[in-house]
Amino acid sequence: MNKGTPYLLAVLVALTLSADWVAPVVALFEHAYACLQHGGGLDLVRLRCEPRPDGLCALLASWPFWGTAVALALATLVATRGPRRQLRLR
């Protein structure tokens, strides 16, 4: 490894941390962490903390995840099974 590489990386990290875009990103992570710690869910589109649904609402809110999982499993089964050819021994 080149001897100057760690120094270059240290300078790049220092420049990155001193940039103006770090504060909003850190604030977003702190907001998300506080929201999740209190049992809520963070809406990234609206950037607001929403309470977690419970009961039937929680089941209905998670249907896109389970629908995608089932579709992916079925597609995998179809792709791996495919048409099978029997080998003919001569």
Side-chain angles (χ1 to χ4, degrees):
M1 183 173 193
N2 190 354
K3 289 183 179 183
T5 304
Y7 298 112
L8 178 63
L9 289 175
V11 169
L12 288 175
V13 167
L15 287 174
T16 302
L17 292 177
S18 66
D20 289 337
W21 60 267
V22 173
V25 172
V26 171
L28 176 63
F29 277 103
E30 288 175 351
H31 178 64
Y33 179 74
C35 180
L36 294 175
Q37 281 296 100
H38 291 96
L42 183 67
D43 184 3
L44 289 176
V45 175
R46 295 179 187 95
L47 291 177
R48 67 178 180 193
C49 188
E50 296 180 345
R52 286 205 188 270
D54 52 347
L56 182 60
C57 292
L59 182 63
L60 293 176
S62 66
W63 77 266
F65 170 76
W66 293 110
T68 304
V70 168
L72 184 63
L74 289 175
T76 303
L77 281 175
V78 168
T80 55
R81 296 248 174 199
R84 296 194 182 263
R85 296 182 183 175
Q86 293 184 3
L87 296 175
R88 294 182 189 175
L89 297 176
R90 294 183 185 187

